Amino acid sequence: MSAKLIQGTEIREEILAEIAAETAKIKEKHGVVPGLVTILVGQNPASISYVTLKIQTANRLGFKEIQDNQPENISTEKLLALIDKYNKDDSIHGILIQLPLPKQIDEKKVLNAVDPDKDVDGFHPVNVGRLMIGGSEVKFPPCTPAGIQEMIVRAGVETQGAEVVVVGRSNIVGKPIANMMLQKGVGANATVTIVHTGTKDIAFHCQRADILIVAAGVPGLVKPEWIKPGACVIDVGVNRVGEKISEKTGKKIAVLKGDVDFDAAREIAGWITPVPGGVGPMTITMLMKNTLKSLKFRLERAKA
Ligand code: NAP
């Protein structure tokens, strides 16, 4: 058996087309577009390329995009004042602070200063609490877990009553996706197990999984014999395992590998995500979806 590939690159295009269409409708009816500001402190090359991709995507969708670059030596107080300015700006619906921040910055204080109703990353404690409560309380599900759930739903994988095993318990992937999959509702209502480095027998739990979500950051951690035949395998891991010359550009690029032994796993699984081109492209897509949602919440509040 060869597993069906769940391609993030294709699902991204579907979702971006939906966001662009809804944005155009809102613009016509209300004369407003989603506004996203990205605050970048310093010149970290990885952050710059990630932020550039965000700007390109936002522009393509017809969003208002502000790229606010700040010097490496900015103080916590100045950054807090900047966030306050955007919190009060009605044309901005999403505020994104690109991490990592320089050492002199009180990162927790800065992240917690973002208005939870503009926290489109979904990491503010208020939004983490809303996610835990579930249902209509949820405003901004964090982007990578939201992308994972979309992929599962759009691939037509049954989640109702499914055994879901999540490898990894980070605050940005493992814990939120586990929480989302156990809620009542579409694309969830599953029985969820989380495994981590303290788990006695990881293979035993993985072998029970109808849906196996792996976010450990360990290349090839999940062996083919850990996979239940026909299972849906979502590989979140992005591990740099070397470098190669790109055929397209002739430049050096990283060789990326997931947390799952892909070639062997695809002969056993029912569905599988590739690395790269699987979960990766979904994160920025869901950030755009959250920014659009934020504008819609604002319009609803204005009506009430
Ligand atoms: P993280 O914060 O390092 O957390 C990794 C988790 O995996 C931890 O809970 C750790 O357990 C667990 N783990 C590590 N090795 C393990 C092992 N041998 N057996 C069992 N559990 C193990 O990582 P993260 O931020 O969640 O990211 C995970 C991976 O996803 C990385 O490769 C990252 O690059 C990728 N990622 C991709 C995207 C995307 O595609 N958009 C977004 C985010 C992350 P302990 O808690 O016990 O230490």
Side-chain angles (χ1 to χ4, degrees), residues 50 143-145 166-175 194-199 202 214-219 221 226 235-240 257-259 278-284:
Y50 192 55
C143 302
T144 302
V166 179
V167 183
R169 56 179 161 187
S170 71
N171 288 330
I172 64 166
V173 189
K175 281 185 206 159
I194 308 183
V195 300
H196 43 74
T197 57
T199 302
I202 292 178
V214 192
V218 180
L221 172 71
W226 295 12
D235 189 353
V236 190
V238 180
N239 306 293
R240 286 170 174 257
K257 201 167 182 267
D259 289 350
V279 176
M282 297 299 291
T283 301
I284 289 180

mmCIF file of all heavy atoms in Angstrom, residues 50 143-145 166-175 194-199 202 214-219 221 226 235-240 257-259 278-284, ligand 1:
data_model
loop_
_atom_site.group_PDB
_atom_site.id
_atom_site.type_symbol
_atom_site.label_atom_id
_atom_site.label_comp_id
_atom_site.label_asym_id
_atom_site.label_seq_id
_atom_site.Cartn_x
_atom_site.Cartn_y
_atom_site.Cartn_z
ATOM 1 N N TYR A 50 11.551 34.581 6.983
ATOM 2 C CA TYR A 50 10.199 34.194 7.413
ATOM 3 C C TYR A 50 9.239 35.392 7.291
ATOM 4 O O TYR A 50 8.129 35.277 6.759
ATOM 5 C CB TYR A 50 10.263 33.676 8.852
ATOM 6 C CG TYR A 50 9.007 32.983 9.308
ATOM 7 C CD1 TYR A 50 8.477 31.915 8.580
ATOM 8 C CD2 TYR A 50 8.337 33.381 10.455
ATOM 9 C CE1 TYR A 50 7.313 31.272 8.990
ATOM 10 C CE2 TYR A 50 7.179 32.748 10.875
ATOM 11 C CZ TYR A 50 6.680 31.699 10.137
ATOM 12 O OH TYR A 50 5.523 31.077 10.547
ATOM 13 N N CYS A 143 -1.103 28.821 14.957
ATOM 14 C CA CYS A 143 -1.121 28.595 13.498
ATOM 15 C C CYS A 143 -0.689 27.200 13.047
ATOM 16 O O CYS A 143 -1.341 26.616 12.181
ATOM 17 C CB CYS A 143 -0.292 29.679 12.826
ATOM 18 S SG CYS A 143 -0.932 31.318 13.222
ATOM 19 N N THR A 144 0.386 26.667 13.606
ATOM 20 C CA THR A 144 0.823 25.332 13.143
ATOM 21 C C THR A 144 -0.212 24.256 13.519
ATOM 22 O O THR A 144 -0.630 23.488 12.636
ATOM 23 C CB THR A 144 2.239 24.995 13.671
ATOM 24 O OG1 THR A 144 3.130 26.025 13.219
ATOM 25 C CG2 THR A 144 2.727 23.657 13.167
ATOM 26 N N PRO A 145 -0.679 24.196 14.783
ATOM 27 C CA PRO A 145 -1.727 23.223 15.099
ATOM 28 C C PRO A 145 -3.001 23.420 14.263
ATOM 29 O O PRO A 145 -3.607 22.446 13.813
ATOM 30 C CB PRO A 145 -2.006 23.464 16.588
ATOM 31 C CG PRO A 145 -0.765 24.091 17.104
ATOM 32 C CD PRO A 145 -0.187 24.894 15.994
ATOM 33 N N VAL A 166 0.019 12.122 19.914
ATOM 34 C CA VAL A 166 0.863 13.285 19.604
ATOM 35 C C VAL A 166 2.236 13.030 20.222
ATOM 36 O O VAL A 166 2.338 12.770 21.427
ATOM 37 C CB VAL A 166 0.256 14.586 20.189
ATOM 38 C CG1 VAL A 166 1.152 15.780 19.890
ATOM 39 C CG2 VAL A 166 -1.150 14.818 19.641
ATOM 40 N N VAL A 167 3.274 13.089 19.412
ATOM 41 C CA VAL A 167 4.644 12.944 19.930
ATOM 42 C C VAL A 167 5.206 14.349 20.133
ATOM 43 O O VAL A 167 5.380 15.096 19.163
ATOM 44 C CB VAL A 167 5.535 12.136 18.958
ATOM 45 C CG1 VAL A 167 6.930 11.939 19.569
ATOM 46 C CG2 VAL A 167 4.906 10.785 18.618
ATOM 47 N N GLY A 168 5.448 14.723 21.390
ATOM 48 C CA GLY A 168 5.952 16.070 21.709
ATOM 49 C C GLY A 168 4.919 16.857 22.479
ATOM 50 O O GLY A 168 3.711 16.716 22.233
ATOM 51 N N ARG A 169 5.385 17.679 23.433
ATOM 52 C CA ARG A 169 4.458 18.436 24.291
ATOM 53 C C ARG A 169 4.869 19.904 24.360
ATOM 54 O O ARG A 169 4.821 20.526 25.431
ATOM 55 C CB ARG A 169 4.416 17.827 25.691
ATOM 56 C CG ARG A 169 5.794 17.738 26.334
ATOM 57 C CD ARG A 169 5.751 17.164 27.729
ATOM 58 N NE ARG A 169 7.068 16.696 28.129
ATOM 59 C CZ ARG A 169 7.311 16.025 29.239
ATOM 60 N NH1 ARG A 169 6.334 15.750 30.069
ATOM 61 N NH2 ARG A 169 8.534 15.618 29.530
ATOM 62 N N SER A 170 5.349 20.453 23.240
ATOM 63 C CA SER A 170 5.741 21.866 23.263
ATOM 64 C C SER A 170 4.490 22.738 23.340
ATOM 65 O O SER A 170 3.384 22.298 22.986
ATOM 66 C CB SER A 170 6.553 22.231 22.022
ATOM 67 O OG SER A 170 5.716 22.253 20.889
ATOM 68 N N ASN A 171 4.696 23.998 23.774
ATOM 69 C CA ASN A 171 3.561 24.920 23.867
ATOM 70 C C ASN A 171 3.102 25.389 22.498
ATOM 71 O O ASN A 171 1.988 25.893 22.363
ATOM 72 C CB ASN A 171 3.949 26.135 24.714
ATOM 73 C CG ASN A 171 4.065 25.773 26.175
ATOM 74 O OD1 ASN A 171 3.366 24.866 26.647
ATOM 75 N ND2 ASN A 171 4.952 26.430 26.882
ATOM 76 N N ILE A 172 3.971 25.261 21.474
ATOM 77 C CA ILE A 172 3.563 25.779 20.156
ATOM 78 C C ILE A 172 2.957 24.711 19.251
ATOM 79 O O ILE A 172 2.212 25.035 18.344
ATOM 80 C CB ILE A 172 4.702 26.532 19.428
ATOM 81 C CG1 ILE A 172 5.871 25.618 19.104
ATOM 82 C CG2 ILE A 172 5.170 27.732 20.225
ATOM 83 C CD1 ILE A 172 6.831 26.251 18.103
ATOM 84 N N VAL A 173 3.264 23.427 19.497
ATOM 85 C CA VAL A 173 2.681 22.375 18.647
ATOM 86 C C VAL A 173 1.991 21.282 19.479
ATOM 87 O O VAL A 173 0.769 21.113 19.417
ATOM 88 C CB VAL A 173 3.738 21.716 17.709
ATOM 89 C CG1 VAL A 173 3.016 20.804 16.699
ATOM 90 C CG2 VAL A 173 4.592 22.727 16.965
ATOM 91 N N GLY A 174 2.771 20.527 20.241
ATOM 92 C CA GLY A 174 2.236 19.322 20.892
ATOM 93 C C GLY A 174 1.025 19.562 21.773
ATOM 94 O O GLY A 174 -0.042 18.960 21.568
ATOM 95 N N LYS A 175 1.174 20.461 22.767
ATOM 96 C CA LYS A 175 0.054 20.674 23.702
ATOM 97 C C LYS A 175 -1.180 21.242 22.989
ATOM 98 O O LYS A 175 -2.283 20.733 23.185
ATOM 99 C CB LYS A 175 0.480 21.597 24.845
ATOM 100 C CG LYS A 175 1.289 20.904 25.921
ATOM 101 C CD LYS A 175 1.543 21.907 27.051
ATOM 102 C CE LYS A 175 2.790 21.581 27.830
ATOM 103 N NZ LYS A 175 3.304 22.753 28.555
ATOM 104 N N ILE A 194 -0.632 11.964 24.651
ATOM 105 C CA ILE A 194 0.601 12.707 24.334
ATOM 106 C C ILE A 194 1.785 11.893 24.849
ATOM 107 O O ILE A 194 1.766 11.438 25.999
ATOM 108 C CB ILE A 194 0.643 14.095 25.008
ATOM 109 C CG1 ILE A 194 -0.629 14.885 24.715
ATOM 110 C CG2 ILE A 194 1.868 14.875 24.554
ATOM 111 C CD1 ILE A 194 -0.621 16.296 25.306
ATOM 112 N N VAL A 195 2.798 11.715 24.006
ATOM 113 C CA VAL A 195 4.018 11.040 24.461
ATOM 114 C C VAL A 195 5.196 12.004 24.370
ATOM 115 O O VAL A 195 5.167 12.958 23.590
ATOM 116 C CB VAL A 195 4.299 9.730 23.688
ATOM 117 C CG1 VAL A 195 3.164 8.742 23.842
ATOM 118 C CG2 VAL A 195 4.559 9.997 22.198
ATOM 119 N N HIS A 196 6.223 11.745 25.189
ATOM 120 C CA HIS A 196 7.369 12.659 25.290
ATOM 121 C C HIS A 196 8.558 11.862 25.805
ATOM 122 O O HIS A 196 8.488 10.621 25.885
ATOM 123 C CB HIS A 196 7.007 13.830 26.207
ATOM 124 C CG HIS A 196 6.273 13.401 27.434
ATOM 125 N ND1 HIS A 196 6.893 12.763 28.474
ATOM 126 C CD2 HIS A 196 4.949 13.452 27.734
ATOM 127 C CE1 HIS A 196 5.981 12.467 29.387
ATOM 128 N NE2 HIS A 196 4.795 12.868 28.961
ATOM 129 N N THR A 197 9.625 12.560 26.201
ATOM 130 C CA THR A 197 10.834 11.823 26.598
ATOM 131 C C THR A 197 10.638 11.058 27.917
ATOM 132 O O THR A 197 11.432 10.174 28.232
ATOM 133 C CB THR A 197 12.048 12.762 26.749
ATOM 134 O OG1 THR A 197 11.717 13.776 27.693
ATOM 135 C CG2 THR A 197 12.434 13.403 25.428
ATOM 136 N N GLY A 198 9.581 11.386 28.651
ATOM 137 C CA GLY A 198 9.325 10.657 29.904
ATOM 138 C C GLY A 198 8.444 9.432 29.695
ATOM 139 O O GLY A 198 8.178 8.691 30.653
ATOM 140 N N THR A 199 7.975 9.206 28.479
ATOM 141 C CA THR A 199 7.061 8.082 28.205
ATOM 142 C C THR A 199 7.848 6.763 28.200
ATOM 143 O O THR A 199 8.926 6.688 27.606
ATOM 144 C CB THR A 199 6.377 8.298 26.838
ATOM 145 O OG1 THR A 199 5.681 9.545 26.890
ATOM 146 C CG2 THR A 199 5.398 7.183 26.508
ATOM 147 N N ILE A 202 7.174 4.444 23.869
ATOM 148 C CA ILE A 202 6.591 5.310 22.833
ATOM 149 C C ILE A 202 6.025 4.476 21.686
ATOM 150 O O ILE A 202 4.926 4.733 21.185
ATOM 151 C CB ILE A 202 7.652 6.313 22.324
ATOM 152 C CG1 ILE A 202 7.993 7.302 23.436
ATOM 153 C CG2 ILE A 202 7.144 7.068 21.095
ATOM 154 C CD1 ILE A 202 9.042 8.298 23.080
ATOM 155 N N VAL A 214 3.489 13.965 14.797
ATOM 156 C CA VAL A 214 4.837 13.890 15.355
ATOM 157 C C VAL A 214 5.514 15.261 15.313
ATOM 158 O O VAL A 214 5.729 15.827 14.242
ATOM 159 C CB VAL A 214 5.694 12.859 14.589
ATOM 160 C CG1 VAL A 214 6.979 12.584 15.365
ATOM 161 C CG2 VAL A 214 4.930 11.565 14.359
ATOM 162 N N ALA A 215 5.816 15.804 16.487
ATOM 163 C CA ALA A 215 6.479 17.108 16.584
ATOM 164 C C ALA A 215 7.552 17.012 17.659
ATOM 165 O O ALA A 215 7.418 17.549 18.759
ATOM 166 C CB ALA A 215 5.465 18.198 16.925
ATOM 167 N N ALA A 216 8.643 16.313 17.343
ATOM 168 C CA ALA A 216 9.714 16.088 18.320
ATOM 169 C C ALA A 216 10.994 16.821 17.936
ATOM 170 O O ALA A 216 11.791 17.181 18.789
ATOM 171 C CB ALA A 216 9.998 14.597 18.446
ATOM 172 N N GLY A 217 11.212 17.038 16.638
ATOM 173 C CA GLY A 217 12.464 17.664 16.200
ATOM 174 C C GLY A 217 13.628 16.677 16.218
ATOM 175 O O GLY A 217 14.772 17.063 16.425
ATOM 176 N N VAL A 218 13.316 15.385 16.001
ATOM 177 C CA VAL A 218 14.352 14.338 15.955
ATOM 178 C C VAL A 218 14.222 13.613 14.612
ATOM 179 O O VAL A 218 13.239 12.886 14.398
ATOM 180 C CB VAL A 218 14.177 13.324 17.118
ATOM 181 C CG1 VAL A 218 15.256 12.251 17.055
ATOM 182 C CG2 VAL A 218 14.183 14.038 18.462
ATOM 183 N N PRO A 219 15.191 13.801 13.701
ATOM 184 C CA PRO A 219 15.033 13.202 12.372
ATOM 185 C C PRO A 219 14.889 11.679 12.422
ATOM 186 O O PRO A 219 15.654 11.011 13.105
ATOM 187 C CB PRO A 219 16.323 13.616 11.628
ATOM 188 C CG PRO A 219 17.252 14.148 12.662
ATOM 189 C CD PRO A 219 16.441 14.567 13.828
ATOM 190 N N LEU A 221 12.799 9.814 13.919
ATOM 191 C CA LEU A 221 12.454 9.201 15.222
ATOM 192 C C LEU A 221 11.416 8.077 15.071
ATOM 193 O O LEU A 221 11.555 7.005 15.659
ATOM 194 C CB LEU A 221 11.902 10.292 16.164
ATOM 195 C CG LEU A 221 11.319 9.809 17.491
ATOM 196 C CD1 LEU A 221 12.427 9.325 18.426
ATOM 197 C CD2 LEU A 221 10.523 10.924 18.181
ATOM 198 N N TRP A 226 6.344 1.387 13.996
ATOM 199 C CA TRP A 226 5.530 2.079 15.003
ATOM 200 C C TRP A 226 4.181 2.511 14.409
ATOM 201 O O TRP A 226 3.343 3.064 15.120
ATOM 202 C CB TRP A 226 6.216 3.358 15.494
ATOM 203 C CG TRP A 226 7.493 3.176 16.239
ATOM 204 C CD1 TRP A 226 8.254 2.043 16.344
ATOM 205 C CD2 TRP A 226 8.183 4.182 16.987
ATOM 206 N NE1 TRP A 226 9.367 2.284 17.095
ATOM 207 C CE2 TRP A 226 9.358 3.585 17.510
ATOM 208 C CE3 TRP A 226 7.935 5.518 17.265
ATOM 209 C CZ2 TRP A 226 10.264 4.290 18.289
ATOM 210 C CZ3 TRP A 226 8.838 6.228 18.042
ATOM 211 C CH2 TRP A 226 9.991 5.623 18.552
ATOM 212 N N ASP A 235 3.660 14.630 9.917
ATOM 213 C CA ASP A 235 5.048 14.841 10.341
ATOM 214 C C ASP A 235 5.333 16.344 10.413
ATOM 215 O O ASP A 235 5.452 17.024 9.392
ATOM 216 C CB ASP A 235 5.989 14.173 9.325
ATOM 217 C CG ASP A 235 7.433 14.150 9.787
ATOM 218 O OD1 ASP A 235 7.744 14.756 10.827
ATOM 219 O OD2 ASP A 235 8.257 13.505 9.098
ATOM 220 N N VAL A 236 5.418 16.865 11.636
ATOM 221 C CA VAL A 236 5.631 18.303 11.822
ATOM 222 C C VAL A 236 7.133 18.645 11.816
ATOM 223 O O VAL A 236 7.526 19.772 11.561
ATOM 224 C CB VAL A 236 4.984 18.777 13.154
ATOM 225 C CG1 VAL A 236 4.970 20.291 13.247
ATOM 226 C CG2 VAL A 236 3.561 18.244 13.286
ATOM 227 N N GLY A 237 7.952 17.666 12.080
ATOM 228 C CA GLY A 237 9.391 17.893 12.229
ATOM 229 C C GLY A 237 10.037 18.526 11.006
ATOM 230 O O GLY A 237 9.744 18.143 9.876
ATOM 231 N N VAL A 238 10.880 19.507 11.254
ATOM 232 C CA VAL A 238 11.691 20.109 10.187
ATOM 233 C C VAL A 238 13.126 20.105 10.703
ATOM 234 O O VAL A 238 13.476 20.893 11.577
ATOM 235 C CB VAL A 238 11.244 21.550 9.870
ATOM 236 C CG1 VAL A 238 12.119 22.123 8.747
ATOM 237 C CG2 VAL A 238 9.780 21.594 9.452
ATOM 238 N N ASN A 239 13.924 19.186 10.200
ATOM 239 C CA ASN A 239 15.294 19.022 10.692
ATOM 240 C C ASN A 239 16.284 19.232 9.549
ATOM 241 O O ASN A 239 16.147 18.607 8.492
ATOM 242 C CB ASN A 239 15.460 17.610 11.264
ATOM 243 C CG ASN A 239 14.397 17.287 12.314
ATOM 244 O OD1 ASN A 239 14.381 17.875 13.383
ATOM 245 N ND2 ASN A 239 13.485 16.375 11.992
ATOM 246 N N ARG A 240 17.254 20.114 9.780
ATOM 247 C CA ARG A 240 18.302 20.335 8.772
ATOM 248 C C ARG A 240 19.318 19.220 8.916
ATOM 249 O O ARG A 240 19.969 19.111 9.944
ATOM 250 C CB ARG A 240 19.005 21.672 9.030
ATOM 251 C CG ARG A 240 18.161 22.859 8.651
ATOM 252 C CD ARG A 240 18.815 24.146 9.148
ATOM 253 N NE ARG A 240 18.046 25.265 8.639
ATOM 254 C CZ ARG A 240 18.410 26.021 7.621
ATOM 255 N NH1 ARG A 240 19.556 25.812 7.015
ATOM 256 N NH2 ARG A 240 17.642 26.999 7.190
ATOM 257 N N LYS A 257 14.669 17.068 6.692
ATOM 258 C CA LYS A 257 14.119 15.742 6.937
ATOM 259 C C LYS A 257 13.098 15.859 8.078
ATOM 260 O O LYS A 257 13.286 16.666 8.987
ATOM 261 C CB LYS A 257 15.267 14.814 7.342
ATOM 262 C CG LYS A 257 14.965 13.348 7.138
ATOM 263 C CD LYS A 257 16.228 12.503 7.257
ATOM 264 C CE LYS A 257 15.926 11.051 7.007
ATOM 265 N NZ LYS A 257 15.630 10.240 8.102
ATOM 266 N N GLY A 258 12.057 15.064 8.014
ATOM 267 C CA GLY A 258 11.049 15.084 9.059
ATOM 268 C C GLY A 258 11.424 14.182 10.229
ATOM 269 O O GLY A 258 12.526 13.638 10.284
ATOM 270 N N ASP A 259 10.465 14.010 11.138
ATOM 271 C CA ASP A 259 10.666 13.146 12.304
ATOM 272 C C ASP A 259 10.271 11.699 12.007
ATOM 273 O O ASP A 259 10.390 10.831 12.872
ATOM 274 C CB ASP A 259 9.800 13.647 13.485
ATOM 275 C CG ASP A 259 10.319 14.949 14.072
ATOM 276 O OD1 ASP A 259 11.442 15.364 13.707
ATOM 277 O OD2 ASP A 259 9.595 15.549 14.893
ATOM 278 N N GLY A 278 4.773 19.726 3.503
ATOM 279 C CA GLY A 278 3.620 19.193 4.237
ATOM 280 C C GLY A 278 3.051 20.254 5.159
ATOM 281 O O GLY A 278 2.395 21.210 4.716
ATOM 282 N N VAL A 279 3.342 20.114 6.465
ATOM 283 C CA VAL A 279 2.807 21.052 7.459
ATOM 284 C C VAL A 279 3.404 22.458 7.276
ATOM 285 O O VAL A 279 2.723 23.463 7.477
ATOM 286 C CB VAL A 279 3.097 20.529 8.894
ATOM 287 C CG1 VAL A 279 2.645 21.529 9.942
ATOM 288 C CG2 VAL A 279 2.415 19.187 9.118
ATOM 289 N N GLY A 280 4.672 22.526 6.875
ATOM 290 C CA GLY A 280 5.398 23.807 6.775
ATOM 291 C C GLY A 280 4.597 24.936 6.146
ATOM 292 O O GLY A 280 4.426 25.997 6.759
ATOM 293 N N PRO A 281 4.072 24.754 4.927
ATOM 294 C CA PRO A 281 3.375 25.862 4.261
ATOM 295 C C PRO A 281 2.070 26.297 4.948
ATOM 296 O O PRO A 281 1.513 27.338 4.613
ATOM 297 C CB PRO A 281 3.047 25.290 2.874
ATOM 298 C CG PRO A 281 3.901 24.098 2.710
ATOM 299 C CD PRO A 281 4.188 23.573 4.068
ATOM 300 N N MET A 282 1.598 25.490 5.919
ATOM 301 C CA MET A 282 0.298 25.797 6.528
ATOM 302 C C MET A 282 0.372 26.903 7.578
ATOM 303 O O MET A 282 -0.622 27.572 7.849
ATOM 304 C CB MET A 282 -0.276 24.532 7.183
ATOM 305 C CG MET A 282 -0.574 23.413 6.221
ATOM 306 S SD MET A 282 -1.794 23.866 4.993
ATOM 307 C CE MET A 282 -3.261 23.996 6.008
ATOM 308 N N THR A 283 1.549 27.117 8.180
ATOM 309 C CA THR A 283 1.615 28.028 9.327
ATOM 310 C C THR A 283 1.286 29.468 8.937
ATOM 311 O O THR A 283 0.419 30.103 9.561
ATOM 312 C CB THR A 283 3.001 27.918 10.004
ATOM 313 O OG1 THR A 283 3.179 26.561 10.407
ATOM 314 C CG2 THR A 283 3.108 28.810 11.225
ATOM 315 N N ILE A 284 1.942 29.975 7.895
ATOM 316 C CA ILE A 284 1.661 31.356 7.474
ATOM 317 C C ILE A 284 0.227 31.469 6.945
ATOM 318 O O ILE A 284 -0.461 32.466 7.172
ATOM 319 C CB ILE A 284 2.704 31.823 6.429
ATOM 320 C CG1 ILE A 284 4.053 32.027 7.121
ATOM 321 C CG2 ILE A 284 2.254 33.098 5.714
ATOM 322 C CD1 ILE A 284 5.185 32.479 6.233
HETATM 323 P P1 NAP B 1 10.355 21.431 21.035
HETATM 324 O O1 NAP B 1 9.872 22.634 21.736
HETATM 325 O O2 NAP B 1 11.807 21.119 20.995
HETATM 326 O O3 NAP B 1 9.581 20.166 21.642
HETATM 327 C C1 NAP B 1 9.878 18.868 21.233
HETATM 328 C C2 NAP B 1 9.043 17.891 22.004
HETATM 329 O O4 NAP B 1 9.331 16.588 21.529
HETATM 330 C C3 NAP B 1 9.307 17.918 23.504
HETATM 331 O O5 NAP B 1 8.095 17.815 24.204
HETATM 332 C C4 NAP B 1 10.173 16.678 23.724
HETATM 333 O O6 NAP B 1 9.933 16.019 24.936
HETATM 334 C C5 NAP B 1 9.689 15.761 22.614
HETATM 335 N N1 NAP B 1 10.748 14.850 22.209
HETATM 336 C C6 NAP B 1 11.998 15.161 21.777
HETATM 337 N N2 NAP B 1 12.699 14.039 21.524
HETATM 338 C C7 NAP B 1 11.892 13.012 21.824
HETATM 339 C C8 NAP B 1 12.062 11.619 21.803
HETATM 340 N N3 NAP B 1 13.202 11.040 21.430
HETATM 341 N N4 NAP B 1 11.015 10.851 22.169
HETATM 342 C C9 NAP B 1 9.852 11.420 22.573
HETATM 343 N N5 NAP B 1 9.634 12.732 22.621
HETATM 344 C C10 NAP B 1 10.646 13.522 22.246
HETATM 345 O O7 NAP B 1 9.898 21.409 19.517
HETATM 346 P P2 NAP B 1 8.684 22.111 18.716
HETATM 347 O O8 NAP B 1 8.865 23.569 18.726
HETATM 348 O O9 NAP B 1 7.382 21.532 19.140
HETATM 349 O O10 NAP B 1 9.019 21.576 17.246
HETATM 350 C C11 NAP B 1 9.061 20.209 16.947
HETATM 351 C C12 NAP B 1 9.477 20.039 15.489
HETATM 352 O O11 NAP B 1 8.495 20.642 14.664
HETATM 353 C C13 NAP B 1 10.800 20.718 15.130
HETATM 354 O O12 NAP B 1 11.463 19.960 14.144
HETATM 355 C C14 NAP B 1 10.362 22.046 14.528
HETATM 356 O O13 NAP B 1 11.298 22.565 13.614
HETATM 357 C C15 NAP B 1 9.084 21.632 13.837
HETATM 358 N N6 NAP B 1 8.113 22.733 13.663
HETATM 359 C C16 NAP B 1 7.614 22.927 12.416
HETATM 360 C C17 NAP B 1 6.690 23.932 12.196
HETATM 361 C C18 NAP B 1 6.133 24.141 10.836
HETATM 362 O O14 NAP B 1 6.333 23.336 9.969
HETATM 363 N N7 NAP B 1 5.446 25.179 10.549
HETATM 364 C C19 NAP B 1 6.276 24.748 13.265
HETATM 365 C C20 NAP B 1 6.787 24.498 14.534
HETATM 366 C C21 NAP B 1 7.704 23.465 14.738
HETATM 367 P P3 NAP B 1 10.267 16.656 26.386
HETATM 368 O O15 NAP B 1 9.199 17.678 26.620
HETATM 369 O O16 NAP B 1 10.169 15.510 27.291
HETATM 370 O O17 NAP B 1 11.637 17.266 26.255
#
